Amino acid sequence: MTAHPLFDIGGRTALVTGSSRGIGLALARGLAEAGCRVILNGRDGDRLAKAAAGLPGEVHTAVFDVTDGPSVTAGIAEAEERVGPLDILVNNAGMQLRAPLLEFADADWHRILDTNLTTAFLVGREAARRMTERGHGKIVNICSLQSEVVRPGIAPYAATKGALKMLTKGMCADWGPYGVQVNGLGPGYIETELTRPLVEDEEFSTWVRGRTPAGRWGRTEDLVGGLLFLASPAADFVGGQILYVDGGMTSVL
Protein backbone atom coordinates (compact mmCIF):
# COMPACT_ATOMS: atom_id res chain seq x y z
CA MET A 1 0.00 0.00 0.00
CA THR A 2 1.42 3.40 -0.97
CA ALA A 3 1.11 6.60 1.02
CA HIS A 4 -1.65 9.03 0.15
CA PRO A 5 -0.37 11.81 -2.18
CA LEU A 6 -1.63 14.47 0.24
CA PHE A 7 1.27 13.51 2.50
CA ASP A 8 3.93 13.65 -0.23
CA ILE A 9 6.55 16.34 0.49
CA GLY A 10 9.32 14.86 -1.60
CA GLY A 11 11.55 17.41 -3.30
CA ARG A 12 10.60 20.29 -1.00
CA THR A 13 13.20 22.41 0.75
CA ALA A 14 13.02 22.60 4.55
CA LEU A 15 15.01 24.63 7.07
CA VAL A 16 15.10 23.45 10.69
CA THR A 17 16.59 25.83 13.26
CA GLY A 18 18.52 24.47 16.22
CA SER A 19 18.92 21.13 14.48
CA SER A 20 22.38 19.86 15.38
CA ARG A 21 20.96 17.52 18.04
CA GLY A 22 17.90 16.47 20.01
CA ILE A 23 14.40 17.22 18.79
CA GLY A 24 15.59 19.46 15.97
CA LEU A 25 17.86 16.77 14.52
CA ALA A 26 15.11 14.14 14.81
CA LEU A 27 12.67 16.40 12.97
CA ALA A 28 15.27 17.11 10.28
CA ARG A 29 15.84 13.38 9.89
CA GLY A 30 12.12 12.81 9.46
CA LEU A 31 11.92 15.46 6.75
CA ALA A 32 14.97 13.99 5.00
CA GLU A 33 13.49 10.50 5.11
CA ALA A 34 10.32 11.93 3.58
CA GLY A 35 12.36 13.14 0.61
CA CYS A 36 12.92 16.77 1.53
CA ARG A 37 16.03 18.74 0.79
CA VAL A 38 16.99 19.67 4.35
CA ILE A 39 18.98 22.61 5.70
CA LEU A 40 20.31 22.24 9.25
CA ASN A 41 20.83 25.45 11.21
CA GLY A 42 22.85 26.31 14.28
CA ARG A 43 25.86 28.35 15.41
CA ASP A 44 28.42 25.53 15.56
CA GLY A 45 29.49 24.63 12.03
CA ASP A 46 31.43 21.52 13.04
CA ARG A 47 28.53 20.11 15.02
CA LEU A 48 26.14 20.82 12.13
CA ALA A 49 28.46 19.11 9.65
CA LYS A 50 28.65 16.03 11.86
CA ALA A 51 24.85 15.94 12.20
CA ALA A 52 24.37 16.38 8.45
CA ALA A 53 26.71 13.47 7.72
CA GLY A 54 24.36 11.15 9.59
CA LEU A 55 21.23 12.05 7.62
CA PRO A 56 20.02 10.50 4.36
CA GLY A 57 19.44 12.35 1.11
CA GLU A 58 20.41 15.92 0.25
CA VAL A 59 21.36 17.76 3.44
CA HIS A 60 22.92 21.21 3.75
CA THR A 61 23.97 23.37 6.67
CA ALA A 62 23.46 27.08 7.34
CA VAL A 63 25.48 28.62 10.16
CA PHE A 64 23.83 31.77 11.51
CA ASP A 65 22.61 33.18 14.82
CA VAL A 66 18.81 33.02 14.95
CA THR A 67 18.69 35.54 17.81
CA ASP A 68 20.25 38.28 15.66
CA GLY A 69 18.11 40.03 13.05
CA PRO A 70 20.82 40.94 10.50
CA SER A 71 22.32 37.46 10.82
CA VAL A 72 18.90 35.91 10.13
CA THR A 73 18.32 38.11 7.08
CA ALA A 74 21.71 37.24 5.62
CA GLY A 75 21.43 33.57 6.56
CA ILE A 76 18.04 33.02 4.94
CA ALA A 77 19.10 34.87 1.79
CA GLU A 78 22.29 32.82 1.50
CA ALA A 79 20.47 29.52 2.14
CA GLU A 80 17.85 30.22 -0.52
CA GLU A 81 20.46 31.31 -3.04
CA ARG A 82 22.60 28.23 -2.42
CA VAL A 83 19.94 25.53 -1.88
CA GLY A 84 16.65 26.91 -3.22
CA PRO A 85 13.45 28.64 -2.08
CA LEU A 86 12.18 27.47 1.30
CA ASP A 87 8.94 25.51 1.24
CA ILE A 88 9.04 24.51 4.92
CA LEU A 89 10.40 26.25 8.01
CA VAL A 90 10.60 24.55 11.39
CA ASN A 91 11.29 27.03 14.20
CA ASN A 92 12.83 24.66 16.71
CA ALA A 93 15.62 26.67 18.37
CA GLY A 94 15.03 26.82 22.10
CA MET A 95 16.44 26.40 25.57
CA GLN A 96 15.40 25.76 29.16
CA LEU A 97 16.55 27.58 32.31
CA ARG A 98 15.15 26.33 35.61
CA ALA A 99 15.04 28.45 38.78
CA PRO A 100 12.45 29.68 41.26
CA LEU A 101 10.80 32.79 39.83
CA LEU A 102 11.87 34.98 42.76
CA GLU A 103 15.48 34.05 42.03
CA PHE A 104 15.35 34.26 38.24
CA ALA A 105 18.02 36.68 36.97
CA ASP A 106 17.20 39.51 34.59
CA ALA A 107 19.85 38.37 32.13
CA ASP A 108 18.43 34.84 32.08
CA TRP A 109 14.93 36.21 31.47
CA HIS A 110 16.09 38.10 28.38
CA ARG A 111 18.18 35.16 27.22
CA ILE A 112 15.30 32.67 27.32
CA LEU A 113 12.95 35.17 25.66
CA ASP A 114 15.44 35.79 22.87
CA THR A 115 16.08 32.10 22.29
CA ASN A 116 12.56 30.67 22.56
CA LEU A 117 10.40 33.49 21.21
CA THR A 118 12.35 36.17 19.37
CA THR A 119 14.04 33.58 17.14
CA ALA A 120 10.67 32.36 15.84
CA PHE A 121 9.65 35.95 15.11
CA LEU A 122 12.90 36.82 13.31
CA VAL A 123 13.27 33.63 11.26
CA GLY A 124 9.54 33.30 10.65
CA ARG A 125 9.26 36.88 9.43
CA GLU A 126 12.22 36.56 7.07
CA ALA A 127 11.03 33.24 5.63
CA ALA A 128 7.46 34.54 5.31
CA ARG A 129 8.58 37.60 3.35
CA ARG A 130 9.66 35.18 0.65
CA MET A 131 6.91 32.58 1.08
CA THR A 132 4.11 35.15 0.84
CA GLU A 133 5.57 36.50 -2.41
CA ARG A 134 5.59 32.98 -3.85
CA GLY A 135 2.08 32.25 -2.53
CA HIS A 136 2.84 29.12 -0.55
CA GLY A 137 4.77 27.82 2.44
CA LYS A 138 4.58 25.89 5.68
CA ILE A 139 5.87 27.19 9.01
CA VAL A 140 5.83 24.94 12.08
CA ASN A 141 6.76 26.50 15.41
CA ILE A 142 7.90 24.05 18.08
CA CYS A 143 5.78 24.98 21.07
CA SER A 144 5.46 22.81 24.17
CA LEU A 145 3.21 21.13 26.67
CA GLN A 146 4.15 24.22 28.70
CA SER A 147 2.32 26.39 26.18
CA GLU A 148 -0.71 25.27 28.22
CA VAL A 149 0.42 24.15 31.68
CA VAL A 150 3.35 24.78 34.00
CA ARG A 151 5.29 23.35 36.93
CA PRO A 152 7.17 25.26 39.65
CA GLY A 153 10.59 26.50 38.56
CA ILE A 154 9.92 26.92 34.83
CA ALA A 155 7.64 29.97 34.69
CA PRO A 156 9.84 31.95 32.26
CA TYR A 157 10.07 28.95 29.91
CA ALA A 158 6.30 28.50 30.02
CA ALA A 159 5.84 32.22 29.38
CA THR A 160 7.93 31.99 26.21
CA LYS A 161 6.11 28.89 24.99
CA GLY A 162 2.70 30.35 25.76
CA ALA A 163 3.68 33.45 23.82
CA LEU A 164 4.94 31.29 20.95
CA LYS A 165 1.51 29.67 20.78
CA MET A 166 -0.11 33.08 20.32
CA LEU A 167 2.60 34.21 17.88
CA THR A 168 1.73 31.11 15.84
CA LYS A 169 -1.90 32.17 15.73
CA GLY A 170 -0.90 35.73 14.83
CA MET A 171 1.34 34.52 12.03
CA CYS A 172 -1.59 32.49 10.74
CA ALA A 173 -3.83 35.56 10.77
CA ASP A 174 -1.29 37.70 8.91
CA TRP A 175 0.14 35.22 6.42
CA GLY A 176 -2.69 32.74 5.84
CA PRO A 177 -4.29 34.99 3.19
CA TYR A 178 -1.05 34.69 1.19
CA GLY A 179 -1.03 30.90 1.09
CA VAL A 180 1.26 30.27 4.07
CA GLN A 181 0.03 27.86 6.74
CA VAL A 182 1.49 28.42 10.20
CA ASN A 183 0.93 25.87 12.96
CA GLY A 184 2.64 24.63 16.10
CA LEU A 185 3.84 21.26 17.33
CA GLY A 186 3.73 20.88 21.12
CA PRO A 187 5.99 18.16 22.53
CA GLY A 188 5.31 16.74 25.96
CA TYR A 189 8.07 15.22 28.08
CA ILE A 190 10.52 13.90 25.47
CA GLU A 191 13.64 11.90 26.22
CA THR A 192 16.66 13.70 24.76
CA GLU A 193 20.28 14.39 25.61
CA LEU A 194 19.18 17.56 27.41
CA THR A 195 16.44 15.88 29.44
CA ARG A 196 18.60 12.87 30.37
CA PRO A 197 19.10 14.08 33.99
CA LEU A 198 15.30 14.26 34.44
CA VAL A 199 14.82 10.84 32.86
CA GLU A 200 17.38 9.40 35.26
CA ASP A 201 15.68 11.05 38.25
CA GLU A 202 13.47 8.14 39.27
CA GLU A 203 11.06 10.25 41.31
CA PHE A 204 10.52 12.65 38.42
CA SER A 205 10.28 9.87 35.84
CA THR A 206 7.72 8.05 37.97
CA TRP A 207 5.69 11.28 38.08
CA VAL A 208 5.92 11.70 34.28
CA ARG A 209 4.86 8.11 33.58
CA GLY A 210 2.01 8.30 36.08
CA ARG A 211 0.81 11.67 34.79
CA THR A 212 0.88 10.59 31.12
CA PRO A 213 -1.97 8.37 29.85
CA ALA A 214 0.49 6.68 27.46
CA GLY A 215 2.50 5.69 30.54
CA ARG A 216 5.95 6.62 29.26
CA TRP A 217 8.31 9.40 28.24
CA GLY A 218 8.03 10.50 24.64
CA ARG A 219 10.71 9.69 22.09
CA THR A 220 11.95 12.18 19.51
CA GLU A 221 10.59 9.98 16.72
CA ASP A 222 7.11 10.36 18.21
CA LEU A 223 7.15 13.96 16.96
CA VAL A 224 7.96 13.22 13.33
CA GLY A 225 4.49 12.15 12.18
CA GLY A 226 2.88 15.32 13.44
CA LEU A 227 5.48 17.46 11.70
CA LEU A 228 5.12 15.61 8.39
CA PHE A 229 1.34 16.16 8.54
CA LEU A 230 1.65 19.89 9.26
CA ALA A 231 4.29 20.30 6.54
CA SER A 232 2.27 18.45 3.90
CA PRO A 233 -0.61 19.35 1.54
CA ALA A 234 -2.84 17.37 3.93
CA ALA A 235 -2.70 20.42 6.23
CA ASP A 236 -3.42 23.06 3.57
CA PHE A 237 -6.62 24.08 5.41
CA VAL A 238 -5.10 23.85 8.89
CA GLY A 239 -3.91 27.14 10.35
CA GLY A 240 -3.03 28.55 13.75
CA GLN A 241 -3.38 25.18 15.49
CA ILE A 242 -1.10 23.58 18.06
CA LEU A 243 -0.80 19.80 17.76
CA TYR A 244 0.21 18.46 21.17
CA VAL A 245 2.25 15.27 21.06
CA ASP A 246 2.34 14.55 24.78
CA GLY A 247 0.95 11.09 25.32
CA GLY A 248 -2.32 12.68 26.44
CA MET A 249 -0.89 14.67 29.36
CA THR A 250 -2.74 17.90 28.57
CA SER A 251 -6.07 16.02 28.53
CA VAL A 252 -6.08 14.74 32.12
CA LEU A 253 -5.93 16.05 35.66
Side-chain angles (χ1 to χ4, degrees), residues 142-179:
I142 305 305
C143 298
S144 171
L145 169 74
Q146 275 83 36
S147 296
E148 299 291 342
V149 295
V150 67
R151 283 175 52 84
I154 59 168
Y157 177 84
T160 64
K161 291 299 185 177
L164 183 57
K165 175 183 73 171
M166 295 311 299
L167 179 61
T168 300
K169 293 178 181 292
M171 287 175 167
C172 166
D174 274 28
W175 302 334
Y178 299 94

Side-chain angles (χ1 to χ4, degrees), residues 1-240:
M1 182 177 179
T2 58
H4 196 288
L6 279 174
F7 295 92
D8 182 10
I9 56 174
R12 303 196 180 190
T13 300
L15 169 67
V16 185
T17 67
S19 49
S20 64
R21 61 179 177 174
I23 288 175
L25 181 57
L27 296 177
R29 179 182 299 280
L31 290 166
E33 291 172 344
C36 286
R37 185 181 303 107
V38 174
I39 306 170
L40 303 182
N41 160 262
R43 290 182 291 187
D44 187 326
D46 290 340
R47 178 177 285 176
L48 285 176
K50 182 178 179 180
L55 298 185
E58 184 180 345
V59 183
H60 303 263
T61 62
V63 182
F64 61 89
D65 182 356
V66 290
T67 68
D68 178 75
S71 178
V72 168
T73 299
I76 296 290
E78 190 277 334
E80 287 211 343
E81 181 178 353
R82 176 166 49 93
V83 183
L86 293 181
D87 301 295
I88 300 163
L89 166 65
V90 182
N91 275 317
N92 170 77
M95 66 178 302
Q96 172 67 288
L97 293 172
R98 295 181 178 86
L101 195 54
L102 288 176
E103 301 169 14
F104 210 83
D106 291 3
D108 287 340
W109 170 263
H110 291 292
R111 182 182 172 204
I112 200 169
L113 274 175
D114 283 347
T115 305
N116 292 358
L117 182 61
T118 304
T119 58
F121 164 68
L122 293 174
V123 183
R125 182 183 61 180
E126 194 59 36
R129 282 182 172 139
R130 298 158 181 273
M131 290 178 173
T132 53
E133 289 181 356
R134 295 190 287 262
H136 65 87
K138 303 282 187 178
I139 297 176
V140 181
N141 295 327
I142 305 305
C143 298
S144 171
L145 169 74
Q146 275 83 36
S147 296
E148 299 291 342
V149 295
V150 67
R151 283 175 52 84
I154 59 168
Y157 177 84
T160 64
K161 291 299 185 177
L164 183 57
K165 175 183 73 171
M166 295 311 299
L167 179 61
T168 300
K169 293 178 181 292
M171 287 175 167
C172 166
D174 274 28
W175 302 334
Y178 299 94
V180 178
Q181 290 83 49
V182 187
N183 291 285
L185 189 69
Y189 283 97
I190 306 295
E191 185 173 350
T192 68
E193 176 186 337
L194 294 179
T195 60
R196 171 56 51 186
L198 294 177
V199 175
E200 293 176 348
D201 182 330
E202 190 51 44
E203 181 179 357
F204 189 82
S205 273
T206 298
W207 177 83
V208 168
R209 291 191 295 267
R211 183 69 175 73
T212 306
R216 63 173 176 85
W217 279 77
R219 298 180 284 267
T220 54
E221 55 264 33
D222 290 322
L223 302 171
V224 172
L227 173 64
L228 297 184
F229 163 63
L230 293 174
S232 75
D236 278 355
F237 201 56
V238 180

